[in-house]
Amino acid sequence: MKYGSIKAIYLVVLACIVVLSATADEATVDLTSIVLETFNGETAHEWHDGRHPRNFDFSWALNASKFATTATDADGNEVTYPRSTYVDAWPIALFGYNRDGRDIKSLGINGRFDRQGYNWIDVFPVEADGTTPFEIPLPGRVRYMDLWIWGSNLDYYVEAYVRDFQGIVHIIRLGGIAHTGWKNLRAHIPNHIQQSKRVLPSHAQLQFVKFRLWTQPTERVNNFYVYFKQFKILTDTFESLFDGDELADPDLIPQFWAENSNN
């Protein structure tokens, strides 16, 4: 066989190896289920994004549209809706009947509006001061998110709001809650919501902004209860390693420059 033919075959084989390697790398995923919030009344949260542990302190607050009711209770105290509390209740499908005595709670929301319409209640994370909104960094490249919700067969629906790296807020409809009891609502994150960039660092992390509960114009709104339990995501935490990957790590860049700066 001539040298030129051997060289041509070698180049073809090498090209195939490169293509297959690149394809395999792009197709590699490490899908991980991460519980972001148990709604157990705790403020400390911890999870792992594939490379670094994450620790955050936040709680949950409520806000509502303009026709939210302000009323006076039997003791003459003013009550502003919506209001929230943590109750000793949970989906049996998740935790069974809790015969081992674990302390399990759910976030309860009591809403009331003065008139029917497209009313809404926002359920959003806040910092330790209890008022400043906090956006939860979502680890990895999120594929799905889900939330357990208790409904009383009212014709309402729930949305999730996420912010991309460009600051654009996207609305993801989790689904309606015209059901009785606990139900798991699950939504796919659309591909048009960008979670990666061409330039380094390539990971473009999403941030969770809030849940929004909507009422339908034909449904009653004079007094209702909704309960939240376990907010979870299914996310791809795989990151390709390369020579110098630490220089593109957003967590290490400030450390490098703080330690080595001549200014």
Side-chain angles (χ1 to χ4, degrees):
M1 186 179 292
K2 294 183 179 180
Y3 174 77
S5 300
I6 296 175
K7 184 176 180 181
I9 294 173
Y10 172 77
L11 292 175
V12 170
V13 172
L14 181 61
C16 290
I17 293 174
V18 171
V19 170
L20 288 174
S21 299
T23 304
D25 187 59
E26 291 175 0
T28 302
V29 295
D30 183 12
L31 293 179
T32 305
S33 177
I34 299 177
V35 176
L36 300 177
E37 176 59 85
T38 63
F39 292 108
N40 215 42
E42 299 159 344
T43 58
H45 302 78
E46 181 178 357
W47 55 78
H48 204 282
D49 68 358
R51 182 177 289 191
H52 303 287
R54 304 295 182 185
N55 296 276
F56 303 99
D57 287 313
F58 61 85
S59 57
W60 294 84
L62 304 180
N63 193 18
S65 51
K66 65 179 180 179
F67 296 118
T69 299
T70 299
T72 303
D73 63 14
D75 298 324
N77 300 315
E78 185 176 86
V79 179
T80 301
Y81 293 87
R83 54 182 184 165
S84 66
T85 190
Y86 288 92
V87 301
D88 296 320
W90 55 86
I92 294 175
L94 275 182
F95 302 103
Y97 289 94
N98 192 28
R99 292 173 182 162
D100 59 358
R102 289 176 295 171
D103 183 21
I104 304 175
K105 300 182 183 298
S106 297
L107 175 63
I109 301 165
N110 179 203
R112 181 179 294 187
F113 292 93
D114 294 332
R115 64 176 68 179
Q116 292 174 299
Y118 284 113
N119 304 294
W120 52 260
I121 295 175
D122 282 347
V123 185
F124 59 98
V126 291
E127 295 180 359
D129 60 12
T131 57
T132 304
F134 171 75
E135 297 186 0
I136 304 173
L138 300 182
R141 295 170 177 84
V142 185
R143 299 288 185 87
Y144 291 91
M145 63 171 53
D146 69 73
L147 176 71
W148 281 85
I149 299 182
W150 185 95
S152 54
N153 209 27
L154 292 170
D155 189 16
Y156 302 160
Y157 63 94
V158 178
E159 298 171 333
Y161 287 55
V162 296
R163 189 187 308 275
D164 67 20
F165 76 101
Q166 295 176 311
I168 300 171
V169 175
H170 304 268
I171 301 174
I172 300 167
R173 181 157 174 158
L174 292 177
I177 61 169
H179 60 263
T180 53
W182 289 103
K183 183 178 180 181
N184 181 241
L185 300 184
R186 189 184 192 195
H188 175 257
I189 306 302
N191 293 331
H192 70 263
I193 298 179
Q194 193 171 352
Q195 298 187 63
S196 62
K197 308 191 297 285
R198 178 181 59 83
V199 299
L200 297 176
S202 59
H203 183 201
Q205 192 172 51
L206 295 179
Q207 292 180 300
F208 173 82
V209 179
K210 64 184 178 182
F211 294 110
R212 174 165 285 187
L213 172 67
W214 284 96
T215 72
Q216 298 279 15
T218 56
E219 188 59 271
R220 70 174 185 84
V221 294
N222 57 319
N223 193 42
F224 59 90
Y225 298 88
V226 178
Y227 298 89
F228 284 11
K229 186 63 180 174
Q230 190 171 278
F231 173 34
K232 183 178 65 177
I233 60 173
L234 182 65
T235 185
D236 176 16
T237 58
F238 177 80
E239 291 292 340
S240 298
L241 300 180
F242 54 89
D243 189 4
D245 65 306
E246 72 279 5
L247 297 176
D249 190 329
D251 292 294
L252 296 179
I253 292 172
Q255 178 182 330
F256 288 151
W257 284 89
E259 293 176 351
N260 300 298
S261 176
N262 294 322
N263 296 328

